[in-house]
Amino acid sequence: MNSRNPTISDVAERAGVSVPTVSRVLTGAARVSPAKREQVEAAIAELNYRPSAAARVLVSRKSQTIAVIAGNTSRYGYAETIRGIEIAARAEGYTVMITVVESADEDEVDRAVSATLTQALAGVIVLKFDPPGVAALGRLSTDLPVVALSGTRETGLRQAVLDEASAAEELTDHLLGLGHETVHHVRIPPSRRVDGRTTGWRRALRRAKAPIPPLLDATWLPRSGVGIGHALAEDPSATAVFCGNDEIAMGVMRGLAEKGLRVPEDVSVAGFDDHPLAELWSPPLTTVEQDFAGLGRRGFQLLLEALDGTGVRLYSSERPRLVFRESTAAPKARS
Amino acid sequence: MNSRNPTISDVAERAGVSVPTVSRVLTGAARVSPAKREQVEAAIAELNYRPSAAARVLVSRKSQTIAVIAGNTSRYGYAETIRGIEIAARAEGYTVMITVVESADEDEVDRAVSATLTQALAGVIVLKFDPPGVAALGRLSTDLPVVALSGTRETGLRQAVLDEASAAEELTDHLLGLGHETVHHVRIPPSRRVDGRTTGWRRALRRAKAPIPPLLDATWLPRSGVGIGHALAEDPSATAVFCGNDEIAMGVMRGLAEKGLRVPEDVSVAGFDDHPLAELWSPPLTTVEQDFAGLGRRGFQLLLEALDGTGVRLYSSERPRLVFRESTAAPKARS
DNA sequence: GTGAAAGCGCTAACAC
DNA sequence: GTGTTAGCGCTTTCAC
């Protein structure tokens, strides 16, 4: 067993042609006579030859790899977005490389970004969902095409987003329309000071001239909602709660339940994202369906257009859709 | 603005040294006088130079990239495992490339595997969680070190696993010990004909000489548990149900609830994985805690040992821990 | 310690 | 159509 992988010259020799001819059948860059093409293909199959991406990249200066930089890979929205990117990329023959940046710490971000840019890349997609994502985008000094996913809009930046502010506003409106005097908001860790979900919530309350209750901050852990639920149970003005995501909403509902409050009879609770478990929860959760995989797909599309030189689009936005289930209802008098 | 990235010769020129000298400070392969080293480092910083991984790989034949092949990236166990791999890899200076193989279709698997092996890789980690993973592992004709995560044990294969069979057996024992005559099992899509969770369940029933109810098959979708819950509600012998994962358990519980049955009063339900939402469910779910991130970490460790040539370990197994919560209890008479 | 020379596996440019 | 030549950005000999 020869441990060295076969190279293009092995193929050329075996097929009785020159190296560039093999390259031509590989890339399809120029026409090759059917006879030689056949010999080459046979040699490739016999040797189980696979071209070296490294060598190709070195000379052609074109890479078929994109990097995805994300603050996390396992939380629902993140994982789905990455999945969407991967599927779209693979369909176009691109490979994807993942870089996780767990904190916004300057050194860590720099190290991660540097290591990533060392690779030969066609472009980069950054999940601008959180501070690490924002930090990574900021330190991405490169001439490569870059696409940011979500986050606040920036001029000149290629960006695919979900219009979370509008959806949050609509959801808050819905709660207000049910007759609640106001809506409390439990915020998930924001990517910056502003965050679409919180912005939309505030916008709706302002427009309705409803009182704006103090913001409640959760962490990414679903259980962080439990304590918040306990606190909310003590507050008679809290008849409707809009949570930054479904997992936190589930934590809040458990906290409420532990204090003897029922959803939606005593308190209405709404989430965000339409997590796969939201419909199975008791009661099924009113939420906002977010097409994260689609976001990833649109992001890759934007990158591809930048690569082609076609497409002058810099921005792709999609409006998430509300899903009304049983966790929200009109308020009843609370003691 | 010069759009070409600086190369090692740009750095050499600027620092007034030869190219190999720059290489030496980069790799630390040989000693360089402090004076020159300083000049080189200054030049690198000024030019914002980053070595090309492609060129390095080409000449040194050593890659710092590993590929992870998985049937999915967003389901809980998969995502956590990948996260564990990524963290361990990054800590050792490795970059990770993700390849998703969605079906076990031969062509799709071949295409994905081929595209992956085109890259210059140090090694490959395969999530042998499902048929696509098994298929990918089978077609991975390469001299590269390969590590499989989970799945049935194979001699000669480097493998890190979670001992799911033992944990499933222990969980089934627990239910039997509570006084249930038997335990029903809802299976998630298995990676082959045998599957650790199902095996452990059957083993426990056999040992206890309890009747073995027919296997109930769920899909990966949590909601596929709902219909199974409905069916189980019609079966008076079903007083305890062990579900292949927590999400399916939640679906089953919803199905049961829709038919008016209470958990655990009428039926005990246990899950598997200790999903972050399992503790928040009502009632909190009895389950098995699986350290997926640890599995990923151990898998990478095995790969690293193979790369070093140190370590002769081929196998790393860990026993998951049971978590008793409120969804399981002693049976009561059912109408 | 340091530089000159060679070459990794491939594609681009050019001649025929 | 096809082969010859050059060279991508690096590391690896091998002199000195």
Side-chain angles (χ1 to χ4, degrees):
Chain A
M1 161 177 156
N2 181 5
S3 81
R4 194 179 118 277
N5 282 330
T7 69
I8 195 169
S9 358
D10 297 330
V11 175
E13 190 178 333
R14 175 142 199 158
V17 301
S18 73
V19 166
T21 294
V22 177
S23 172
R24 287 189 265 259
V25 345
L26 250 27
T27 60
R31 275 189 312 228
V32 173
S33 71
K36 304 219 165 188
R37 140 164 281 120
E38 217 165 278
Q39 291 159 232
V40 168
E41 277 163 356
I44 287 176
E46 285 160 24
L47 295 172
N48 189 24
Y49 165 76
R50 272 186 276 266
S52 148
R56 278 189 159 171
V57 136
L58 197 57
V59 49
S60 72
R61 297 155 167 297
K62 279 179 184 52
S63 167
Q64 291 274 92
T65 297
I66 65 163
V68 174
I69 303 183
N72 182 278
T73 51
S74 67
R75 284 195 289 266
Y76 176 64
Y78 292 73
E80 277 293 299
T81 303
I82 294 171
R83 191 170 72 85
I85 296 173
E86 204 279 341
I87 290 173
R90 182 155 34 91
E92 297 290 336
Y94 284 79
T95 309
V96 1
M97 182 129 251
I98 296 280
T99 302
V100 180
V101 185
E102 289 179 304
S103 83
D105 170 73
E106 200 170 310
D107 276 4
E108 191 192 327
V109 173
D110 263 347
R111 232 176 311 121
V113 168
S114 273
T116 305
L117 293 184
T118 270
Q119 305 296 128
L121 262 21
V124 183
I125 298 183
V126 181
L127 269 57
K128 206 182 156 197
F129 289 4
D130 48 24
V134 172
L137 189 63
R139 327 215 104 247
L140 209 52
S141 58
T142 171
D143 295 335
L144 255 35
V146 172
V147 172
L149 260 31
S150 278
T152 48
R153 184 161 189 175
E154 275 176 49
T155 51
L157 177 65
R158 241 174 292 267
Q159 214 170 180
V161 307
L162 289 163
D163 185 358
E164 304 190 342
S166 298
E169 187 174 355
E170 195 179 337
L171 182 56
T172 307
D173 275 344
H174 164 70
L175 259 6
L176 258 13
L178 249 21
H180 295 277
E181 304 264 317
T182 188
V183 175
H184 282 62
H185 177 51
V186 181
R187 181 171 69 166
I188 50 175
S191 68
R192 275 177 185 282
R193 284 207 316 280
V194 286
D195 142 89
R197 307 179 191 195
T198 305
T199 302
W201 162 74
R202 197 177 276 119
R203 215 150 65 191
L205 291 184
R206 282 236 176 80
R207 202 162 25 72
K209 299 199 168 46
I212 302 193
L215 219 42
L216 271 6
D217 276 303
T219 71
W220 285 109
L221 293 176
R223 80 162 63 98
S224 73
V226 179
I228 296 175
H230 292 166
L232 250 10
E234 307 294 324
D235 178 355
S237 78
T239 63
V241 184
F242 159 42
C243 301
N245 72 208
D246 292 338
E247 285 124 307
I248 297 300
M250 294 173 190
V252 167
M253 286 164 88
R254 161 141 288 268
L256 254 12
E258 286 172 358
K259 294 296 181 183
L261 293 188
R262 291 159 310 159
V263 173
E265 293 81 353
D266 299 314
V267 183
S268 284
V269 176
F272 215 89
D273 288 353
D274 198 19
H275 187 285
L277 293 172
E279 61 170 349
L280 297 179
W281 201 260
S282 304
L285 200 53
T286 290
T287 185
V288 173
E289 183 190 329
Q290 299 243 87
D291 182 7
F292 286 112
L295 175 68
R297 216 179 308 123
R298 286 186 289 124
F300 179 75
Q301 215 50 50
L302 241 35
L303 189 61
L304 207 56
E305 287 172 18
L307 258 25
D308 289 355
T310 70
V312 288
R313 286 197 307 152
L314 278 179
Y315 197 72
S316 160
S317 177
E318 198 181 278
R319 177 79 170 263
R321 198 175 56 80
L322 266 59
V323 182
F324 300 107
R325 299 209 183 91
E326 299 156 35
S327 65
T328 50
K332 295 211 301 199
R334 260 182 72 186
S335 55
Chain B
M1 162 175 159
N2 181 5
S3 81
R4 196 179 116 276
N5 281 332
T7 71
I8 195 170
S9 1
D10 297 331
V11 175
E13 189 179 334
R14 176 144 197 156
V17 301
S18 72
V19 166
T21 295
V22 177
S23 172
R24 289 189 264 258
V25 345
L26 249 27
T27 61
R31 273 190 313 229
V32 172
S33 69
K36 302 216 166 190
R37 142 164 279 120
E38 215 164 281
Q39 289 159 233
V40 169
E41 277 163 356
I44 287 175
E46 285 161 24
L47 294 172
N48 190 25
Y49 165 76
R50 273 186 276 265
S52 149
R56 277 190 159 170
V57 137
L58 196 58
V59 49
S60 72
R61 298 154 166 296
K62 278 180 185 55
S63 168
Q64 291 275 91
T65 297
I66 65 164
V68 174
I69 303 184
N72 181 279
T73 51
S74 67
R75 284 195 288 266
Y76 176 64
Y78 291 73
E80 277 293 299
T81 303
I82 294 170
R83 192 172 71 86
I85 296 172
E86 204 279 340
I87 290 173
R90 183 155 32 92
E92 298 290 335
Y94 285 78
T95 309
V96 0
M97 185 127 248
I98 297 279
T99 302
V100 179
V101 185
E102 289 179 304
S103 83
D105 170 71
E106 200 171 309
D107 276 3
E108 192 193 327
V109 173
D110 264 348
R111 232 175 312 120
V113 168
S114 273
T116 305
L117 293 184
T118 270
Q119 304 297 129
L121 260 22
V124 183
I125 299 183
V126 180
L127 269 56
K128 205 182 157 197
F129 289 3
D130 48 24
V134 172
L137 189 62
R139 325 216 105 247
L140 210 51
S141 59
T142 171
D143 296 335
L144 255 34
V146 172
V147 172
L149 261 30
S150 279
T152 48
R153 184 160 189 176
E154 275 177 50
T155 51
L157 177 65
R158 241 174 291 268
Q159 214 170 182
V161 307
L162 289 164
D163 185 358
E164 303 190 341
S166 299
E169 188 174 356
E170 195 179 338
L171 183 56
T172 307
D173 276 344
H174 165 70
L175 289 166
L176 257 13
L178 250 21
H180 296 276
E181 304 264 318
T182 188
V183 175
H184 282 62
H185 178 50
V186 180
R187 182 170 69 164
I188 50 173
S191 68
R192 275 176 184 282
R193 284 207 314 280
V194 287
D195 142 89
R197 306 179 192 196
T198 305
T199 302
W201 162 74
R202 197 178 276 120
R203 215 149 66 190
L205 291 184
R206 283 235 176 82
R207 201 161 28 71
K209 301 200 168 37
I212 302 192
L215 219 43
L216 272 6
D217 276 303
T219 71
W220 285 110
L221 293 176
R223 78 161 66 98
S224 73
V226 178
I228 296 175
H230 292 167
L232 251 10
E234 307 295 324
D235 178 356
S237 78
T239 64
V241 184
F242 159 42
C243 300
N245 73 208
D246 293 337
E247 284 123 307
I248 297 299
M250 294 176 191
V252 167
M253 288 165 89
R254 161 141 289 267
L256 254 13
E258 286 172 357
K259 295 295 182 183
L261 293 187
R262 290 159 311 159
V263 173
E265 293 82 353
D266 301 314
V267 183
S268 284
V269 177
F272 213 91
D273 290 353
D274 198 19
H275 187 285
L277 293 172
E279 60 170 349
L280 298 178
W281 192 262
S282 305
L285 199 54
T286 291
T287 185
V288 173
E289 183 190 328
Q290 298 243 88
D291 183 8
F292 286 112
L295 175 67
R297 217 179 307 122
R298 286 186 289 123
F300 179 76
Q301 213 52 49
L302 241 35
L303 188 63
L304 207 55
E305 288 172 17
L307 259 24
D308 288 357
T310 70
V312 287
R313 286 196 308 152
L314 278 180
Y315 197 72
S316 160
S317 177
E318 198 182 278
R319 176 78 168 264
R321 200 175 54 80
L322 266 58
V323 183
F324 301 107
R325 298 210 183 92
E326 298 156 34
S327 66
T328 50
K332 294 208 301 198
R334 259 183 74 185
S335 55

